[in-house]
Amino acid sequence: DQAEVLPFPPFLSDPICEPLGTPIPETCDVLTAKPVNSVTSRSLFGQFRYPLTDRLRAVGGLRYSYDRKKIAAYSATVPTGAAAPGGATNSDTRDWDKVTYRAGLEYDLTPKAMLYILQSTGYKSGTLLYDDRLMQFDGADPQTLTQNTIGIKSRWFDNRLKANFELFDSSYDNYQVTIQADIVTGGCAGNISGGCVTGEGNVKTLTSRGFDVDLDYRLSESDRISFSAGYLEAQFGDPGTLDQAYLDTLTTIPALQEALQTYFNSYDGATLQNSPKWTANLTYEHSFNLGRNGQLNWRTHVLYKSDYYTNYMGGSTINDAVSVQPSYTTYDTYLTWAPLDQNYTVSAYIKNISNYPVMTNYSAAAPGQAAGTVDLDLPRTYGVTISARF
């Protein structure tokens, strides 16, 4: 319930120190206490499998979810150097609940090949944030998902080959997104008053469809090869419009409200970030029998991904060209030795052998930053691990 009151640099205008839309003078500090967050989540769920015939089964399930989020925070503006004033704590509580289900059929084509068709629904609770710049609460509504899948799981050739295939079609409603606006050059990066604002919203629709293939074949007692591939199209639909009342909680500056709506509109037809159309994995394993000295296992792995967007927030649109990660291939290899008693193992590995820089996330400049940020996956990484069991 108690938190240190910390001075913050001036972000946007402040509703107490100055009217909305005007700069905070240097003689005024924004003070905020670290918020107290409370999250409560409860659920009740169950599922069943019921035989209709010797080869056909019905499967299903129900889940009830309840979520409550609460934020209590204290913010104020005071003349620079003055003692932090007392005052009432700002707080807000939001509740959501949802019933989701899973229903489908399973059919045995052969004793070791099963065809299935399923429809499942999902739910993600809304968000609740406190903006210490405007001393207001905002957030996004819950998002829901309906997914249809049809696939085959099978084993062949005395279980030496595992072959799975699945088609899926997913539809999201009210997909939660982050929105931003920057109407002054360097507004976000330079912390310019009235130049930058961020918030959250819900895009009305997002569709994600494609297929997955998973093959695993034991070539011999010592050799095994695995292959998986996937195709994905994840695209936003009409985002709708931002509620004017919500825009007013973020900013009352018309140009910023227009920029926020423009950024939100850019979701129309955009591709979901970190969603390459093609992904493929190939793994080969070979085991060397060392007799009384145990076993040596060598595994090498190849990963391919086609190009994709990585931006979380960037530029004036969601699909910012600077955030594109071009298609790439990476290679890993592992060597593991285990004695006959299996009480310990020694492993050596090299990951990302070609040392290819893979961009995993791009974010435009945030308040107080001089430039945007890029997150990279691991470079070439190598080492040795020793594991023991007692």
Side-chain angles (χ1 to χ4, degrees), residues 151-348:
I152 294 177
K153 293 182 181 291
S154 62
R155 291 182 181 271
W156 306 90
F157 311 124
D158 294 327
N159 294 326
R160 292 174 59 186
L161 172 64
K162 180 185 73 174
N164 298 333
F165 179 80
E166 182 175 274
L167 286 167
F168 62 89
D169 188 304
S170 306
S171 298
Y172 293 85
D173 292 323
N174 285 332
Y175 190 84
Q176 296 169 1
V177 298
T178 301
I179 54 176
Q180 72 171 22
D182 184 356
I183 60 172
V184 178
T185 302
C188 291
N191 225 356
I192 299 173
S193 176
C196 176
V197 67
T198 61
E200 293 189 338
N202 295 89
V203 174
K204 288 196 299 185
T205 59
L206 166 67
T207 57
S208 174
R209 54 176 62 100
F211 65 83
D212 292 309
V213 178
D214 184 13
L215 304 174
D216 191 305
Y217 186 64
R218 184 168 292 280
L219 300 169
S220 68
E221 290 297 324
S222 303
D223 299 275
R224 178 179 176 181
I225 187 169
S226 301
F227 173 77
S228 63
Y231 178 78
L232 173 66
E233 286 190 359
Q235 194 170 44
F236 291 100
D238 178 14
T241 58
L242 291 170
D243 184 71
Q244 185 61 44
Y246 174 63
L247 284 173
D248 291 338
T249 67
L250 297 178
T251 177
T252 58
I253 304 174
L256 272 175
Q257 289 192 352
E258 182 179 351
L260 283 169
Q261 184 63 62
T262 298
Y263 185 87
F264 188 64
N265 290 342
S266 73
Y267 278 96
D268 191 0
T271 300
L272 182 67
Q273 60 267 34
N274 296 315
S275 300
K277 279 196 172 184
W278 288 101
T279 302
N281 292 272
L282 179 64
T283 302
Y284 172 73
E285 285 186 65
H286 181 80
S287 297
F288 299 88
N289 188 346
L290 304 181
R292 295 193 308 173
N293 294 318
Q295 182 171 287
L296 186 66
N297 185 72
W298 173 59
R299 177 166 59 95
T300 190
H301 175 247
V302 181
L303 168 66
Y304 168 79
K305 288 187 178 182
S306 60
D307 59 305
Y308 57 91
Y309 294 98
T310 64
N311 54 309
Y312 170 62
M313 292 192 303
S316 58
T317 64
I318 181 62
N319 284 166
D320 194 338
V322 73
S323 76
V324 173
Q325 167 59 55
S327 60
Y328 67 91
T329 305
T330 57
Y331 309 87
D332 307 328
T333 191
Y334 305 83
L335 196 62
T336 301
W337 173 73
L340 290 178
D341 58 17
Q342 298 285 322
N343 287 333
Y344 63 91
T345 59
V346 180
S347 299

Side-chain angles (χ1 to χ4, degrees), residues 74-115:
Y74 163 75
S75 293
T77 54
V78 298
T80 299
T89 299
N90 296 324
S91 65
D92 195 8
T93 301
R94 298 185 185 180
D95 299 85
W96 304 275
D97 65 337
K98 185 71 175 179
V99 174
T100 53
Y101 66 87
R102 176 177 183 266
L105 296 171
E106 296 176 348
Y107 182 74
D108 295 330
L109 298 171
T110 71
K112 294 185 179 181
M114 181 185 72
L115 172 70

